[in-house]
Amino acid sequence: MDFKTVLKRTFTGRVPWTYLYLFLIPFVNWGFDKIHTIPLPTGGDWHPLTVVTGLTLVVRDFAQREVGHYIFAFLGIGLVLSFMTSDPSVAFASTCAFAISELVDWALFTFAKIPLSKRVFLSAGISAPIDAAVFLAIASQSIPGIFNPWSFAAAIISRFIGCWIVYLLMRNRDRREAEAAKANAGF
């Protein structure tokens, strides 16, 4: 996909996943900055937005289908917006985590020759723990106690739940399309 096509699709409203992705990046970072953590009885704190971070990575996978390699431009815009709306240390933590996990996701979506439903699931399995660990470790400098097993587990589990749902939906869609193609081939 060339730049002109991406621009045209972007400005004509034909990239809804990309818009959602662009919204979620600064929203999640703003939320980590502004929404308070919940103290845990076992020590440490849990941040409710660790659940939403999984959604962001799943949405990213669909956004890349819409805009191809230009996903990095939208990531950059989202991160600039994060620095404008969030604590710089939270935005920096997000930038580092996204940079690593996005490269993993991009490589899988670019080079893996497996169905999209499996790429989404595999992508989450590899990038989710990396993204969560990097973000929580760096963000803990400004949000004390956030880097703990509960927040780490919530971040990873949320990604897998989102991916599992998307995987099931896509697998069912792929089956229906294959059955329709088989039925049409018989006529």
Side-chain angles (χ1 to χ4, degrees), residues 15 21 28 35 57 61 63 69 99 118 131 135 172 182:
V15 289
Y21 178 63
V28 168
I35 297 171
L57 291 180
D61 295 339
H69 300 305
K118 291 181 182 177
D131 179 81
F135 177 79
N172 287 337
K182 188 186 280 186

Side-chain angles (χ1 to χ4, degrees), residues 127-165:
S127 66
I130 296 168
D131 179 81
V134 171
F135 177 79
L136 293 172
I138 296 172
S140 69
Q141 303 306 309
S142 64
I143 307 172
I146 194 173
F147 190 59
N148 62 67
W150 299 106
S151 289
F152 185 68
I156 294 171
I157 290 169
S158 70
R159 286 169 174 85
F160 281 115
I161 289 171
C163 286
W164 184 252
I165 292 168

Side-chain angles (χ1 to χ4, degrees), residues 53-61 98 101-102 127 131 159:
T53 57
L55 174 65
T56 306
L57 291 180
V58 173
V59 168
R60 188 221 71 84
D61 295 339
F98 266 118
S101 65
E102 292 297 321
S127 66
D131 179 81
R159 286 169 174 85

Side-chain angles (χ1 to χ4, degrees), residues 23-36 47 49 78 81-87 90-91 94 135 143:
F23 166 78
L24 283 172
I25 295 168
F27 171 74
V28 168
N29 292 322
W30 172 86
F32 269 101
D33 183 28
K34 304 297 184 203
I35 297 171
H36 296 289
H47 200 289
L49 281 182
L81 293 171
S82 292
F83 275 97
M84 295 168 56
T85 60
S86 308
D87 177 276
V90 171
S94 178
F135 177 79
I143 307 172

